[in-house]
Coordinates of all heavy atoms in Angstrom, one line a residue:
M1 N 0.8 -1.2 0.0 CA 0.0 0.0 0.0 C 0.9 1.2 0.0 O 1.8 1.4 0.7 CB -0.9 0.0 1.2 CG -1.9 1.1 1.3 SD -3.2 0.9 2.5 CE -2.6 1.8 3.8
V2 N 0.5 2.2 -0.9 CA 1.3 3.4 -1.0 C 0.8 4.4 0.1 O -0.4 4.6 0.2 CB 1.1 4.1 -2.4 CG1 1.8 5.4 -2.5 CG2 1.6 3.1 -3.4
K3 N 1.7 5.0 0.8 CA 1.3 6.0 1.9 C 1.0 7.3 1.2 O 1.7 7.8 0.3 CB 2.5 6.2 2.8 CG 2.1 7.1 4.0 CD 3.3 7.2 5.0 CE 2.8 8.2 6.1 NZ 3.9 8.5 6.9
E4 N -0.1 7.9 1.6 CA -0.5 9.2 1.0 C 0.2 10.3 1.7 O 0.5 10.3 2.9 CB -2.0 9.4 1.3 CG -2.9 8.4 0.5 CD -4.4 8.6 0.8 OE1 -4.7 9.0 1.9 OE2 -5.1 8.4 -0.2
V5 N 0.6 11.2 0.9 CA 1.3 12.4 1.4 C 0.3 13.4 1.9 O -0.7 13.7 1.3 CB 2.2 13.1 0.3 CG1 2.8 14.4 0.8 CG2 3.2 12.1 -0.3
R6 N 0.5 13.8 3.2 CA -0.4 14.7 3.9 C 0.4 15.9 4.4 O 1.6 15.8 4.7 CB -1.0 14.0 5.1 CG -2.0 12.9 4.7 CD -2.5 12.2 6.0 NE -3.5 11.2 5.6 CZ -4.8 11.4 5.5 NH1 -5.3 12.5 5.7 NH2 -5.5 10.3 5.1
V7 N -0.3 17.0 4.3 CA 0.4 18.3 4.8 C -0.7 19.0 5.6 O -1.9 18.7 5.6 CB 0.8 19.2 3.6 CG1 1.9 18.5 2.8 CG2 -0.3 19.6 2.8
K8 N -0.2 20.0 6.4 CA -1.0 20.9 7.1 C -0.4 22.3 7.1 O 0.8 22.4 7.0 CB -1.3 20.5 8.5 CG -0.1 20.5 9.5 CD -0.5 20.2 10.9 CE 0.7 20.3 11.8 NZ 0.3 20.1 13.2
K9 N -1.2 23.3 7.1 CA -0.7 24.7 7.1 C 0.0 25.0 8.4 O -0.5 24.5 9.5 CB -1.9 25.7 6.9 CG -2.5 25.6 5.5 CD -3.6 26.6 5.4 CE -4.3 26.6 4.0 NZ -5.4 27.6 3.9
S10 N 1.0 25.7 8.3 CA 1.7 26.2 9.5 C 0.9 27.1 10.3 O 0.0 27.8 9.8 CB 3.0 26.8 9.2 OG 3.9 25.9 8.5
K11 N 1.1 27.2 11.6 CA 0.3 28.1 12.5 C 0.9 29.5 12.6 O 0.2 30.4 13.0 CB 0.2 27.5 13.9 CG -0.6 26.2 13.9 CD -0.7 25.6 15.3 CE -1.5 24.3 15.2 NZ -1.7 23.7 16.4
N12 N 2.1 29.7 12.1 CA 2.8 31.0 12.3 C 2.6 31.8 11.0 O 3.5 32.4 10.5 CB 4.2 30.8 12.6 CG 4.9 29.9 11.5 OD1 4.3 29.0 11.0 ND2 6.2 30.2 11.2
L13 N 1.3 31.9 10.5 CA 1.0 32.6 9.3 C -0.1 33.6 9.5 O -1.0 33.4 10.3 CB 0.6 31.6 8.2 CG 1.5 30.5 7.9 CD1 0.8 29.6 6.8 CD2 2.8 30.9 7.4
I14 N 0.0 34.7 8.7 CA -1.0 35.6 8.6 C -1.4 35.6 7.1 O -0.4 35.8 6.2 CB -0.6 37.0 9.0 CG1 -0.3 37.1 10.5 CG2 -1.7 38.1 8.7 CD1 0.3 38.4 11.0
S15 N -2.6 35.5 6.7 CA -3.0 35.5 5.3 C -4.0 36.5 5.1 O -4.9 36.8 5.9 CB -3.4 34.1 4.9 OG -4.6 33.7 5.5
Y16 N -3.9 37.1 3.9 CA -4.9 38.1 3.4 C -5.3 37.8 2.0 O -4.5 37.6 1.2 CB -4.2 39.5 3.5 CG -5.0 40.6 2.9 CD1 -6.1 41.1 3.5 CD2 -4.6 41.1 1.6 CE1 -6.8 42.2 2.9 CE2 -5.3 42.1 1.0 CZ -6.4 42.6 1.7 OH -7.2 43.7 1.1
K17 N -6.6 37.8 1.8 CA -7.1 37.4 0.5 C -7.7 38.7 -0.1 O -8.5 39.4 0.4 CB -8.2 36.4 0.6 CG -8.8 35.9 -0.8 CD -9.8 34.8 -0.6 CE -10.2 34.4 -2.0 NZ -11.2 33.3 -1.9
E18 N -7.2 38.9 -1.4 CA -7.7 40.0 -2.2 C -8.2 39.5 -3.5 O -7.5 38.9 -4.3 CB -6.6 41.0 -2.5 CG -6.9 42.2 -3.3 CD -7.8 43.2 -2.6 OE1 -7.7 43.4 -1.4 OE2 -8.6 43.9 -3.3
E19 N -9.5 39.5 -3.7 CA -10.2 38.9 -4.8 C -9.9 37.4 -4.8 O -10.3 36.7 -3.9 CB -9.9 39.6 -6.1 CG -10.4 41.0 -6.1 CD -10.1 41.7 -7.4 OE1 -9.9 41.1 -8.4 OE2 -10.2 43.0 -7.4
D20 N -9.2 36.9 -5.8 CA -8.9 35.5 -5.9 C -7.4 35.1 -5.5 O -6.9 34.0 -5.9 CB -9.2 34.9 -7.3 CG -10.6 34.9 -7.6 OD1 -11.4 34.8 -6.7 OD2 -11.0 35.1 -8.8
E21 N -6.7 36.0 -4.9 CA -5.3 35.8 -4.6 C -5.0 36.1 -3.1 O -5.7 36.8 -2.5 CB -4.4 36.8 -5.5 CG -4.6 36.5 -7.0 CD -3.8 37.4 -7.9 OE1 -3.3 38.4 -7.4 OE2 -3.8 37.1 -9.1
Y22 N -4.0 35.4 -2.7 CA -3.6 35.5 -1.3 C -2.2 36.1 -1.1 O -1.3 35.9 -1.9 CB -3.5 34.1 -0.6 CG -4.8 33.6 -0.1 CD1 -5.6 32.8 -0.9 CD2 -5.2 33.8 1.2 CE1 -6.8 32.2 -0.4 CE2 -6.4 33.3 1.7 CZ -7.2 32.5 0.8 OH -8.4 32.0 1.3
L23 N -2.0 36.9 -0.1 CA -0.7 37.3 0.4 C -0.6 36.6 1.8 O -1.5 36.6 2.6 CB -0.6 38.8 0.7 CG -0.5 39.7 -0.5 CD1 -0.4 41.1 -0.1 CD2 0.8 39.3 -1.3
I24 N 0.5 35.9 1.9 CA 0.7 35.1 3.2 C 2.0 35.6 3.8 O 3.1 35.6 3.1 CB 0.8 33.6 2.9 CG1 -0.5 33.2 2.2 CG2 1.0 32.8 4.2 CD1 -0.5 31.8 1.6
I25 N 2.0 35.8 5.1 CA 3.2 36.3 5.8 C 3.6 35.2 6.8 O 2.7 34.8 7.6 CB 2.9 37.6 6.5 CG1 2.5 38.7 5.5 CG2 4.2 38.1 7.3 CD1 1.9 39.9 6.2
N26 N 4.8 34.8 6.7 CA 5.3 33.9 7.7 C 5.9 34.8 8.9 O 6.9 35.5 8.7 CB 6.5 33.0 7.2 CG 7.0 32.0 8.1 OD1 7.1 32.3 9.3 ND2 7.4 30.8 7.7
I27 N 5.2 34.8 10.0 CA 5.6 35.7 11.1 C 6.9 35.4 11.7 O 7.5 36.3 12.4 CB 4.5 35.9 12.1 CG1 4.1 34.5 12.8 CG2 3.2 36.5 11.5 CD1 3.2 34.7 13.9
Y28 N 7.4 34.2 11.6 CA 8.7 33.9 12.1 C 9.9 34.4 11.3 O 10.9 34.8 11.8 CB 8.9 32.3 12.3 CG 8.1 31.8 13.5 CD1 7.6 30.5 13.5 CD2 7.8 32.6 14.6 CE1 6.8 30.0 14.5 CE2 7.0 32.1 15.7 CZ 6.5 30.8 15.6 OH 5.8 30.3 16.6
T29 N 9.7 34.3 10.0 CA 10.7 34.8 9.0 C 10.5 36.1 8.4 O 11.4 36.7 7.8 CB 10.9 33.7 7.9 OG1 9.7 33.8 7.1 CG2 11.2 32.3 8.4
N30 N 9.3 36.7 8.6 CA 8.9 37.9 8.0 C 8.9 37.9 6.5 O 9.0 38.9 5.9 CB 9.7 39.1 8.5 CG 9.4 39.4 10.0 OD1 8.3 39.3 10.4 ND2 10.5 39.8 10.7
Q31 N 8.8 36.7 5.9 CA 8.8 36.6 4.5 C 7.3 36.7 4.0 O 6.4 36.2 4.7 CB 9.3 35.2 4.0 CG 10.8 35.0 4.3 CD 11.6 35.8 3.3 OE1 11.3 36.9 2.8 NE2 12.7 35.2 2.9
I32 N 7.1 37.3 2.9 CA 5.8 37.5 2.3 C 5.7 36.7 1.0 O 6.6 36.8 0.2 CB 5.5 39.0 2.0 CG1 5.6 39.8 3.3 CG2 4.1 39.1 1.3 CD1 5.5 41.3 3.1
Y33 N 4.6 36.0 0.9 CA 4.4 35.1 -0.3 C 3.1 35.6 -1.0 O 2.1 35.7 -0.3 CB 4.3 33.7 0.1 CG 5.6 33.2 0.8 CD1 5.7 33.3 2.2 CD2 6.6 32.6 0.1 CE1 6.9 32.9 2.8 CE2 7.8 32.2 0.7 CZ 7.9 32.3 2.1 OH 9.0 31.9 2.7
A34 N 3.2 35.8 -2.3 CA 2.0 36.1 -3.1 C 1.6 34.9 -3.9 O 2.4 34.4 -4.6 CB 2.3 37.3 -4.0
L35 N 0.4 34.5 -3.7 CA -0.2 33.4 -4.5 C -1.1 33.9 -5.6 O -2.0 34.7 -5.3 CB -0.9 32.4 -3.6 CG -0.2 31.8 -2.4 CD1 -1.1 30.8 -1.6 CD2 1.1 31.1 -2.8
D36 N -0.9 33.4 -6.8 CA -1.8 33.8 -7.9 C -3.1 33.0 -7.7 O -3.3 32.3 -6.8 CB -1.1 33.5 -9.2 CG -0.8 32.0 -9.5 OD1 -1.3 31.1 -8.8 OD2 0.0 31.7 -10.4
K37 N -4.0 33.2 -8.7 CA -5.3 32.7 -8.6 C -5.3 31.1 -8.4 O -6.0 30.6 -7.6 CB -6.1 33.1 -9.8 CG -7.6 32.6 -9.7 CD -8.3 33.1 -10.9 CE -9.8 32.7 -10.9 NZ -10.6 33.2 -12.0
F38 N -4.5 30.5 -9.2 CA -4.5 29.0 -9.2 C -3.8 28.5 -7.9 O -4.3 27.6 -7.3 CB -3.8 28.4 -10.4 CG -4.0 27.0 -10.6 CD1 -5.2 26.4 -10.9 CD2 -2.9 26.1 -10.4 CE1 -5.4 25.1 -11.0 CE2 -3.1 24.7 -10.5 CZ -4.3 24.2 -10.8
S39 N -2.7 29.1 -7.5 CA -2.1 28.7 -6.3 C -3.0 29.0 -5.1 O -3.0 28.2 -4.1 CB -0.8 29.5 -6.1 OG 0.1 29.2 -7.2
S40 N -3.8 30.1 -5.1 CA -4.7 30.3 -4.1 C -5.8 29.3 -4.0 O -6.3 28.9 -2.9 CB -5.3 31.7 -4.3 OG -4.4 32.7 -4.2
F41 N -6.2 28.8 -5.2 CA -7.2 27.7 -5.2 C -6.6 26.5 -4.4 O -7.3 25.9 -3.6 CB -7.5 27.3 -6.6 CG -8.3 26.0 -6.7 CD1 -9.7 26.0 -6.5 CD2 -7.7 24.8 -7.1 CE1 -10.4 24.8 -6.5 CE2 -8.4 23.6 -7.1 CZ -9.8 23.6 -6.9
I42 N -5.4 26.1 -4.7 CA -4.7 25.0 -4.0 C -4.6 25.3 -2.5 O -4.9 24.4 -1.7 CB -3.3 24.7 -4.6 CG1 -3.4 24.3 -6.0 CG2 -2.6 23.7 -3.7 CD1 -2.1 24.2 -6.8
W43 N -4.3 26.5 -2.1 CA -4.2 26.9 -0.7 C -5.5 26.7 0.0 O -5.6 26.2 1.1 CB -3.8 28.4 -0.7 CG -3.5 28.9 0.7 CD1 -4.3 29.8 1.4 CD2 -2.4 28.6 1.6 NE1 -3.7 30.0 2.7 CE2 -2.6 29.3 2.8 CE3 -1.3 27.7 1.4 CZ2 -1.7 29.2 3.8 CZ3 -0.4 27.7 2.5 CH2 -0.6 28.4 3.7
E44 N -6.6 27.1 -0.7 CA -7.9 26.9 -0.1 C -8.3 25.4 0.0 O -9.0 25.0 0.9 CB -9.0 27.7 -0.9 CG -8.9 29.1 -0.7 CD -9.8 30.0 -1.5 OE1 -10.4 29.4 -2.5 OE2 -10.0 31.2 -1.2
E45 N -7.9 24.6 -1.0 CA -8.1 23.2 -0.9 C -7.4 22.5 0.3 O -7.9 21.5 0.8 CB -7.7 22.5 -2.2 CG -8.6 22.8 -3.4 CD -10.0 22.2 -3.2 OE1 -10.2 21.0 -2.9 OE2 -10.9 23.0 -3.4
L46 N -6.3 23.1 0.7 CA -5.6 22.6 1.9 C -6.5 22.7 3.1 O -6.2 22.0 4.1 CB -4.3 23.2 2.1 CG -3.2 22.9 1.0 CD1 -2.0 23.8 1.2 CD2 -2.8 21.4 1.2
D47 N -7.5 23.6 3.1 CA -8.4 23.7 4.2 C -9.4 22.5 4.2 O -10.0 22.2 5.2 CB -9.2 25.0 4.2 CG -8.2 26.2 4.5 OD1 -7.3 26.0 5.3 OD2 -8.5 27.3 4.0
K48 N -9.6 21.9 3.1 CA -10.6 20.9 2.9 C -10.0 19.5 3.1 O -10.7 18.6 3.5 CB -11.3 21.0 1.5 CG -12.0 22.3 1.3 CD -12.5 22.4 -0.1 CE -13.0 23.8 -0.4 NZ -13.4 23.9 -1.8
T49 N -8.8 19.3 2.7 CA -8.1 18.0 2.8 C -6.6 18.2 3.0 O -6.1 19.2 2.5 CB -8.4 17.1 1.5 OG1 -7.7 15.9 1.7 CG2 -7.8 17.8 0.3
S50 N -6.0 17.3 3.7 CA -4.6 17.3 3.9 C -3.9 16.4 2.9 O -2.6 16.3 2.9 CB -4.2 16.9 5.3 OG -4.6 15.6 5.6
V51 N -4.6 15.6 2.1 CA -4.1 14.6 1.2 C -3.8 15.2 -0.1 O -4.7 15.7 -0.8 CB -5.0 13.4 1.1 CG1 -4.5 12.3 0.2 CG2 -5.3 12.8 2.5
I52 N -2.5 15.2 -0.5 CA -2.1 15.9 -1.8 C -2.8 15.3 -3.0 O -3.2 15.9 -3.9 CB -0.6 16.0 -1.9 CG1 0.0 16.7 -0.7 CG2 -0.2 16.6 -3.2 CD1 -0.6 18.1 -0.5
S53 N -2.9 13.9 -3.0 CA -3.4 13.3 -4.2 C -4.9 13.6 -4.3 O -5.4 13.6 -5.5 CB -3.3 11.7 -4.1 OG -3.9 11.2 -2.9
D54 N -5.6 13.9 -3.2 CA -7.0 14.4 -3.4 C -7.1 15.7 -4.1 O -8.0 15.9 -4.9 CB -7.7 14.5 -2.0 CG -7.9 13.2 -1.3 OD1 -7.8 12.1 -2.0 OD2 -8.3 13.2 -0.1
I55 N -6.2 16.6 -3.7 CA -6.2 17.9 -4.4 C -5.8 17.7 -5.9 O -6.4 18.4 -6.7 CB -5.2 18.8 -3.7 CG1 -5.6 19.1 -2.3 CG2 -5.0 20.2 -4.5 CD1 -4.6 19.9 -1.4
A56 N -4.9 16.8 -6.2 CA -4.5 16.6 -7.6 C -5.8 16.1 -8.4 O -6.0 16.5 -9.5 CB -3.4 15.6 -7.7
R57 N -6.6 15.2 -7.8 CA -7.8 14.7 -8.4 C -8.8 15.9 -8.7 O -9.4 15.9 -9.8 CB -8.4 13.6 -7.6 CG -7.7 12.3 -7.8 CD -8.6 11.1 -7.2 NE -8.5 11.1 -5.8 CZ -7.5 10.5 -5.1 NH1 -6.5 10.0 -5.7 NH2 -7.5 10.5 -3.8
V58 N -8.9 16.8 -7.7 CA -9.9 17.9 -7.9 C -9.4 18.8 -9.1 O -10.2 19.2 -9.9 CB -10.0 18.7 -6.6 CG1 -10.7 20.0 -6.8 CG2 -10.7 17.9 -5.5
I59 N -8.1 19.0 -9.1 CA -7.6 19.9 -10.2 C -7.7 19.2 -11.5 O -8.1 19.8 -12.5 CB -6.1 20.2 -9.9 CG1 -5.9 21.0 -8.7 CG2 -5.4 20.9 -11.2 CD1 -4.5 21.2 -8.2
A60 N -7.4 17.9 -11.6 CA -7.6 17.1 -12.9 C -9.0 17.1 -13.4 O -9.3 17.3 -14.6 CB -7.1 15.7 -12.7
K61 N -9.9 17.0 -12.4 CA -11.4 17.0 -12.8 C -11.8 18.4 -13.3 O -12.5 18.5 -14.3 CB -12.2 16.6 -11.6 CG -13.7 16.5 -11.9 CD -14.4 15.9 -10.7 CE -15.9 15.7 -11.0 NZ -16.6 15.2 -9.9
R62 N -11.3 19.4 -12.7 CA -11.7 20.8 -13.1 C -11.0 21.2 -14.4 O -11.6 22.0 -15.2 CB -11.3 21.8 -12.0 CG -12.2 21.7 -10.8 CD -11.8 22.8 -9.8 NE -12.3 24.1 -10.4 CZ -12.2 25.2 -9.8 NH1 -11.6 25.3 -8.6 NH2 -12.6 26.3 -10.3
T63 N -9.8 20.7 -14.7 CA -9.0 21.2 -15.8 C -9.0 20.3 -17.0 O -8.6 20.6 -18.1 CB -7.6 21.5 -15.4 OG1 -7.0 20.3 -15.0 CG2 -7.5 22.6 -14.4
N64 N -9.4 19.0 -16.8 CA -9.2 18.0 -17.8 C -7.8 17.8 -18.3 O -7.6 17.5 -19.5 CB -10.2 18.2 -19.0 CG -11.6 18.1 -18.6 OD1 -12.0 17.2 -17.8 ND2 -12.5 19.0 -19.1
E65 N -6.9 18.0 -17.4 CA -5.4 17.9 -17.8 C -5.0 16.5 -17.3 O -5.6 15.8 -16.5 CB -4.6 19.0 -17.1 CG -4.9 20.4 -17.6 CD -4.4 20.6 -19.0 OE1 -3.4 19.9 -19.5 OE2 -5.0 21.4 -19.7
D66 N -3.8 16.1 -17.8 CA -3.2 14.8 -17.5 C -2.9 14.8 -16.0 O -2.2 15.7 -15.5 CB -1.9 14.6 -18.3 CG -1.3 13.3 -18.0 OD1 -0.4 13.2 -17.1 OD2 -1.6 12.3 -18.7
S67 N -3.4 13.8 -15.3 CA -3.2 13.7 -13.8 C -1.7 13.5 -13.4 O -1.4 14.0 -12.3 CB -4.0 12.6 -13.3 OG -3.6 11.3 -13.8
Q68 N -0.9 12.9 -14.2 CA 0.5 12.8 -13.9 C 1.2 14.1 -13.9 O 2.1 14.4 -13.1 CB 1.2 11.7 -14.8 CG 0.8 10.3 -14.5 CD 1.5 9.3 -15.4 OE1 1.9 9.7 -16.5 NE2 1.6 8.1 -14.9
I69 N 0.9 14.9 -14.9 CA 1.5 16.2 -15.0 C 1.0 17.1 -13.8 O 1.8 17.8 -13.2 CB 1.2 16.9 -16.4 CG1 1.8 16.1 -17.5 CG2 1.6 18.4 -16.4 CD1 1.4 16.6 -18.9
I70 N -0.2 17.0 -13.5 CA -0.8 17.8 -12.4 C -0.1 17.4 -11.1 O 0.3 18.2 -10.3 CB -2.3 17.6 -12.3 CG1 -3.0 18.3 -13.5 CG2 -2.8 18.1 -11.0 CD1 -4.4 18.1 -13.6
Q71 N 0.0 16.1 -10.9 CA 0.7 15.6 -9.7 C 2.1 16.1 -9.6 O 2.5 16.5 -8.5 CB 0.6 14.1 -9.6 CG 1.1 13.5 -8.3 CD 0.2 13.9 -7.1 OE1 -1.0 13.6 -7.1 NE2 0.7 14.5 -6.1
K72 N 2.8 16.1 -10.7 CA 4.2 16.5 -10.7 C 4.3 18.0 -10.3 O 5.1 18.5 -9.5 CB 4.9 16.3 -12.0 CG 6.3 16.7 -12.1 CD 6.9 16.5 -13.5 CE 8.3 17.0 -13.7 NZ 8.3 18.5 -13.7
D73 N 3.5 18.8 -11.0 CA 3.4 20.3 -10.7 C 3.0 20.6 -9.3 O 3.5 21.5 -8.6 CB 2.5 21.0 -11.7 CG 3.1 21.0 -13.2 OD1 4.3 20.7 -13.3 OD2 2.3 21.3 -14.1
L74 N 2.0 19.8 -8.8 CA 1.5 20.0 -7.5 C 2.6 19.7 -6.5 O 2.8 20.4 -5.5 CB 0.2 19.2 -7.3 CG -0.4 19.3 -5.9 CD1 -0.8 20.8 -5.6 CD2 -1.7 18.4 -5.8
D75 N 3.3 18.6 -6.7 CA 4.4 18.2 -5.8 C 5.4 19.3 -5.7 O 5.9 19.6 -4.6 CB 5.0 16.9 -6.2 CG 4.1 15.7 -6.0 OD1 3.1 15.8 -5.3 OD2 4.4 14.6 -6.6
E76 N 5.8 19.9 -6.8 CA 6.7 21.0 -6.8 C 6.2 22.2 -6.0 O 7.0 22.8 -5.3 CB 7.1 21.4 -8.3 CG 7.9 20.4 -9.0 CD 8.1 20.7 -10.5 OE1 7.7 21.9 -10.9 OE2 8.6 19.9 -11.2
F77 N 5.0 22.5 -6.2 CA 4.4 23.7 -5.5 C 4.3 23.4 -4.0 O 4.7 24.2 -3.2 CB 3.0 23.9 -6.0 CG 2.3 25.1 -5.3 CD1 2.7 26.4 -5.4 CD2 1.1 24.8 -4.6 CE1 2.1 27.4 -4.7 CE2 0.5 25.8 -3.9 CZ 1.0 27.1 -4.0
I78 N 3.9 22.2 -3.6 CA 3.8 21.8 -2.2 C 5.2 21.9 -1.6 O 5.4 22.4 -0.5 CB 3.2 20.4 -2.1 CG1 1.7 20.4 -2.4 CG2 3.4 19.8 -0.7 CD1 0.8 21.3 -1.6
N79 N 6.2 21.4 -2.3 CA 7.6 21.5 -1.8 C 8.1 22.9 -1.6 O 8.7 23.2 -0.6 CB 8.6 20.7 -2.7 CG 8.5 19.2 -2.5 OD1 8.2 18.7 -1.5 ND2 8.7 18.5 -3.6
S80 N 7.6 23.8 -2.5 CA 8.0 25.2 -2.3 C 7.3 25.8 -1.1 O 7.9 26.7 -0.4 CB 7.7 26.0 -3.6 OG 6.4 26.2 -3.9
L81 N 6.0 25.5 -0.9 CA 5.3 25.9 0.3 C 6.0 25.4 1.6 O 6.2 26.2 2.5 CB 3.9 25.4 0.3 CG 2.9 26.0 -0.7 CD1 1.6 25.4 -0.6 CD2 2.8 27.5 -0.6
S82 N 6.5 24.2 1.5 CA 7.2 23.6 2.7 C 8.5 24.3 2.9 O 8.8 24.7 4.1 CB 7.5 22.1 2.4 OG 8.2 21.6 3.5
K83 N 9.3 24.6 1.9 CA 10.5 25.3 2.0 C 10.3 26.7 2.6 O 11.2 27.3 3.3 CB 11.3 25.4 0.7 CG 11.9 24.1 0.3 CD 12.5 24.2 -1.1 CE 13.0 22.8 -1.5 NZ 13.5 22.8 -2.9
G84 N 9.2 27.3 2.3 CA 8.9 28.7 2.8 C 8.3 28.6 4.2 O 8.0 29.7 4.8
G85 N 8.1 27.4 4.7 CA 7.6 27.3 6.1 C 6.1 27.5 6.2 O 5.5 27.8 7.2
L86 N 5.4 27.5 5.0 CA 3.9 27.7 5.0 C 3.1 26.4 5.3 O 2.0 26.5 5.7 CB 3.5 28.3 3.6 CG 4.2 29.6 3.2 CD1 3.7 30.0 1.9 CD2 4.1 30.6 4.2
I87 N 3.7 25.3 5.0 CA 3.1 24.0 5.4 C 4.1 23.1 6.0 O 5.3 23.3 5.9 CB 2.4 23.3 4.1 CG1 3.5 23.0 3.1 CG2 1.3 24.2 3.5 CD1 3.1 22.1 2.0
K88 N 3.6 22.0 6.6 CA 4.4 20.9 7.1 C 3.9 19.6 6.7 O 2.7 19.4 6.5 CB 4.4 21.0 8.6 CG 5.0 22.2 9.2 CD 4.9 22.3 10.7 CE 5.4 23.6 11.3 NZ 5.4 23.7 12.7
F89 N 4.8 18.7 6.4 CA 4.4 17.3 6.1 C 4.0 16.6 7.3 O 4.7 16.7 8.3 CB 5.5 16.6 5.3 CG 5.7 17.1 3.9 CD1 6.7 18.1 3.7 CD2 5.0 16.7 2.9 CE1 6.9 18.6 2.4 CE2 5.2 17.2 1.6 CZ 6.1 18.1 1.4
V90 N 2.9 15.9 7.3 CA 2.5 15.2 8.5 C 2.3 13.7 8.2 O 2.3 13.3 7.1 CB 1.1 15.7 9.1 CG1 1.3 17.2 9.6 CG2 0.0 15.7 8.0

């Protein structure tokens, strides 16, 4: 059985939503991150599920894109969120 990758948002964040985009501040590092519309969609999906493959399925269904490409791109985005301290793997 393959273990599902799960993440959760860090608690040391302040986020501000303007229309369909987020500004997120990591209060420990004082770094500011701007998420575009699509990245903001993923950010909001993290409130609904912690399972990355679930988010990939939602994106694939909405976009009719190849699920393997979506999973690869999503993994890269999730890793960048982790490096910025915005999420943690659980």
Side-chain angles (χ1 to χ4, degrees):
M1 185 164 98
V2 176
K3 184 178 179 189
E4 294 180 327
V5 176
R6 294 178 178 268
V7 298
K8 68 176 183 174
K9 292 181 179 179
S10 298
K11 294 182 180 183
N12 54 325
L13 305 175
I14 297 172
S15 62
Y16 171 74
K17 184 175 182 181
E18 177 73 29
E19 295 182 19
D20 292 331
E21 299 178 350
Y22 276 93
L23 284 178
I24 303 169
I25 303 166
N26 182 325
I27 59 173
Y28 287 150
T29 64
N30 290 322
Q31 295 283 37
I32 299 172
Y33 300 87
L35 302 183
D36 62 17
K37 184 177 180 177
F38 191 70
S39 299
S40 293
F41 169 78
I42 296 168
W43 185 252
E44 289 177 343
E45 286 298 306
L46 289 171
D47 291 329
K48 299 174 188 172
T49 181
S50 63
V51 180
I52 299 306
S53 60
D54 289 349
I55 296 172
R57 280 191 284 280
V58 169
I59 295 169
K61 187 175 181 179
R62 288 186 71 182
T63 62
N64 293 321
E65 294 291 331
D66 181 270
S67 61
Q68 290 181 334
I69 293 171
I70 289 170
Q71 187 66 56
K72 179 182 176 289
D73 291 345
L74 182 58
D75 289 345
E76 289 174 8
F77 178 66
I78 293 297
N79 284 328
S80 70
L81 292 178
S82 175
K83 287 179 185 173
L86 304 180
I87 62 167
K88 296 178 182 179
F89 291 95
V90 294

